[in-house]
């Protein structure tokens, strides 16, 4: 399998988040693969990815593309279709936006590892483009463009020969929007080298500051509770969130992996307020022996068991979160049970399941 001529497709290479960890695992499996992407901010992803030959689109040369690439969403279908792959034996797209829409010569198998159907135009449209989420001109433009992008998203799904979903949650959305079946293979999570630390009296959030992550709910709740909260992350909503926060809330920016693992291990609990496709940070928290307080919808419900590895809250409101935190504080959790739950999601399991899928499902 390692000798196959493989192309890997990824929407953009601008940081090491969950999708990039999946791409990194594909790079380990196919060490000579070429990578195609809209834009690559050199030095922002791992060496395991950057050692590959990387082809970028014209977006790489357009104004403000390194930081404002999401504003080019309306032309992304055109940009992904500007690539035409014909000299490969296998194409694998790691897609949460439009990567799955790449054009491939007939007869070449195309596996899409789908993190989600294009969330901006489907179930999270209001979180990105609703009133108060962006300016009037962007909202107006998206009202006209949404239908076009939805039609393109459905049409381009038929270029994929095999879908893999990163959770049962995403499998259901693939069936709903594309009318396609998908095999579920959970993404890889780095569960190694979490230190043994004495628990401290703070709660932890690790996230990007974008609308659907619902960080404002957590800040509002902790402003009322006055409990210590540490927030790791950056993003376009950072200024607004910092203005909301009181003195018991500390913003740490993005920190190195070693220090992040220490925070995971020391935290009293990890807060997960968003509706997420899967929930890699929740698994990382379990690997550190830290329970998770999570919104009771989406992929995280496949990871957390209420009362055993964490606590759920049912509404994305400060009141519902506060109620869950107060319930959590009356409970105790076994760190070894949490770590055992996280072990399943290790990278080796992911790579083996992908290899088995290709060997059994793809005819070369």
């Amino acid at each position: 399998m390692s000798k196959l001529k493989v192309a890997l497709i990824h929407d953009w290479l601008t940081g090491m988040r969950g999708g990039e960890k999946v791409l990194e695992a594909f790079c380990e499996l196919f060490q000579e693969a070429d990578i195609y992407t809209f834009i690559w901010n050199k030095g922002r992803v791992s060496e395991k990815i950057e050692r590959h030959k990387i082809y970028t689109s014209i977006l790489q040369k357009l104004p403000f593309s390194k930081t404002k690439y999401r504003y080019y969403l309306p032309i992304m279908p055109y940009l992904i279709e500007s690539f035409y792959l014909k000299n490969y034996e296998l194409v694998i797209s790691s897609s949460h936006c439009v990567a799955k829409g790449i054009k491939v010569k007939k007869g070449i198998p195309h596996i899409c590892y789908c993190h989600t159907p294009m969330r901006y135009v489907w179930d999270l449209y209001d979180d990105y483009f609703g009133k108060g989420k962006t300016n009037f001109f962007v909202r107006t433009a998206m009202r006209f463009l949404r239908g076009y992008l939805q039609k393109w998203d459905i049409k381009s799904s038929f270029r994929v020969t095999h879908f893999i979903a990163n959770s049962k949650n995403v499998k259901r959305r693939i069936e709903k929007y594309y009318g396609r079946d998908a095999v579920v293979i959970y993404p890889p999570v780095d569960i190694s080298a979490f230190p043994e630390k004495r628990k401290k009296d703070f709660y932890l959030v690790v996230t990007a500051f974008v609308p659907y992550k619902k960080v404002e709910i957590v800040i509002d709740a902790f402003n009322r509770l006055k409990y210590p909260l540490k927030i790791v992350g950056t993003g376009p909503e950072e200024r607004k969130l910092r203005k909301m926060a009181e003195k018991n809330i500390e913003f740490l920016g993005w920190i190195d992996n070693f220090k992040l693992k220490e925070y995971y291990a020391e935290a009293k609990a990890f807060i997960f307020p968003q509706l997420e496709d899967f929930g890699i940070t929740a698994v990382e928290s379990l690997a550190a022996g830290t329970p998770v307080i999570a919104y009771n919808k989406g992929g995280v419900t496949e990871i957390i068991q209420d009362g055993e590895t964490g606590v759920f809250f049912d509404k994305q409101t400060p009141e519902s979160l506060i109620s869950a935190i107060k319930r959590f504080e009356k409970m105790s959790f076994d760190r070894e049970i949490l770590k055992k739950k996280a072990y399943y999601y290790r990278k080796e399991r992911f790579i083996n399941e992908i290899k088995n899928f290709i060997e059994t499902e793809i005819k070369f």
Side-chain angles (χ1 to χ4, degrees):
M1 186 181 298
S2 60
K3 295 181 180 180
L4 288 173
K5 188 167 177 57
V6 176
L8 302 174
I9 323 303
H10 195 72
D11 289 299
W12 44 74
L13 299 175
T14 59
M16 283 300 296
R17 294 173 287 271
E20 288 71 39
K21 296 292 180 65
V22 170
L23 178 64
E24 185 179 65
F26 283 133
C27 288
E28 289 186 29
L29 182 56
F30 301 105
Q31 297 186 12
E32 301 303 318
D34 296 332
I35 297 174
Y36 291 81
T37 187
F38 288 136
I39 184 170
W40 170 30
N41 291 346
K42 293 184 180 180
R44 296 296 300 275
V45 293
S46 70
E47 188 276 334
K48 288 180 181 178
I49 294 174
E50 293 194 337
R51 63 173 289 276
H52 287 251
K53 177 66 176 177
I54 298 175
Y55 296 92
T56 59
S57 73
I58 194 174
L59 181 59
Q60 186 82 22
K61 299 178 180 179
L62 294 181
F64 310 109
S65 61
K66 287 189 175 181
T67 57
K68 304 293 184 182
Y69 50 90
R70 289 184 178 89
Y71 284 87
Y72 287 97
L73 177 62
I75 66 168
M76 285 183 180
Y78 164 77
L79 293 175
I80 198 66
E81 289 176 346
S82 68
F83 295 121
Y84 176 62
L85 307 185
K86 59 182 180 179
N87 296 319
Y88 295 95
E89 295 171 277
L90 176 64
V91 172
I92 302 175
S93 58
S94 164
S95 183
H96 76 274
C97 188
V98 300
K100 72 167 187 354
I102 197 162
K103 290 187 172 182
V104 177
K105 184 180 178 181
K106 187 176 181 179
I108 300 175
H110 174 186
I111 299 171
C112 174
Y113 188 88
C114 187
H115 305 282
T116 175
M118 199 193 306
R119 61 170 62 99
Y120 318 100
V121 299
W122 294 111
D123 45 321
L124 293 183
Y125 175 82
D126 288 335
D127 285 327
Y128 281 91
F129 302 111
K131 191 172 182 180
K133 299 299 183 180
T134 189
N135 64 59
F136 170 80
F137 299 103
V138 173
R139 290 201 311 274
T140 302
M142 282 307 299
R143 278 201 295 270
F144 286 102
L145 290 167
R146 186 185 186 187
Y148 153 71
L149 290 169
Q150 287 176 330
K151 289 177 182 177
W152 180 89
D153 195 36
I154 294 169
K155 181 180 178 181
S156 64
S157 70
F158 292 99
R159 298 173 188 165
V160 175
T161 57
H162 301 78
F163 272 103
I164 300 174
N166 72 351
S167 64
K168 296 175 185 175
N169 174 47
V170 168
K171 173 184 170 71
R172 288 190 292 269
R173 298 218 300 273
I174 291 171
E175 292 170 347
K176 177 180 178 181
Y177 297 125
Y178 302 154
R180 300 285 301 276
D181 192 20
V183 171
V184 175
I185 298 180
Y186 290 113
V189 183
D190 178 10
I191 62 167
S192 64
F194 281 89
E196 290 291 336
K197 290 282 187 178
R198 184 185 298 273
K199 289 295 182 184
K200 296 184 178 180
D201 193 33
F202 69 86
Y203 292 80
L204 180 67
V205 171
V206 179
T207 190
F209 300 153
V210 294
Y212 86 93
K213 298 290 188 179
K214 302 296 183 183
V215 184
E216 71 277 6
I217 293 171
V218 186
I219 291 174
D220 194 345
F222 277 81
N223 281 345
R224 301 184 203 182
L225 289 168
K226 307 300 181 186
Y227 294 168
L229 173 68
K230 296 183 186 295
I231 303 178
V232 176
T234 59
E237 293 201 318
E238 182 168 355
R239 181 179 296 181
K240 180 189 82 171
L241 295 171
R242 283 181 177 271
K243 285 183 178 180
M244 288 178 59
E246 296 186 4
K247 292 182 179 180
N248 56 304
I249 298 173
E250 182 182 4
F251 288 81
L252 301 173
W254 280 122
I255 57 179
D256 67 74
N257 203 41
F258 178 81
K259 188 63 179 175
L260 177 60
K261 288 186 175 184
E262 287 191 338
Y263 280 125
Y264 270 126
E266 292 172 344
K268 193 172 186 178
F270 182 74
I271 310 294
F272 192 94
Q274 67 268 33
L275 173 59
E276 197 65 86
D277 310 313
F278 175 62
I280 285 177
T281 54
V283 178
E284 290 173 341
S285 180
L286 296 182
T290 298
V292 178
I293 301 173
Y295 177 48
N296 191 16
K297 282 190 178 180
V300 75
T301 63
E302 301 169 42
I303 302 167
I304 303 302
Q305 290 76 45
D306 193 286
E308 182 177 336
T309 54
V311 172
F312 285 126
F313 58 98
D314 293 327
K315 297 180 180 179
Q316 286 180 308
T317 64
E319 293 79 12
S320 187
L321 175 55
I322 288 170
S323 178
I325 292 170
K326 289 183 176 179
R327 184 160 67 95
F328 163 80
E329 296 220 318
K330 298 175 183 178
M331 303 169 71
S332 61
F333 294 85
D334 186 326
R335 295 181 75 161
E336 294 309 311
I337 290 177
L338 305 184
K339 292 178 181 181
K340 185 177 180 180
K341 175 66 176 179
Y343 181 76
Y344 171 78
Y345 299 99
R346 65 198 184 279
K347 183 187 292 186
E348 294 79 10
R349 183 271 321 162
F350 174 81
I351 290 176
N352 286 335
E353 289 187 15
I354 292 292
K355 287 173 65 176
N356 289 339
F357 178 87
I358 293 172
E359 289 170 354
T360 57
E361 298 295 328
I362 307 298
K363 302 293 187 290
F364 295 103

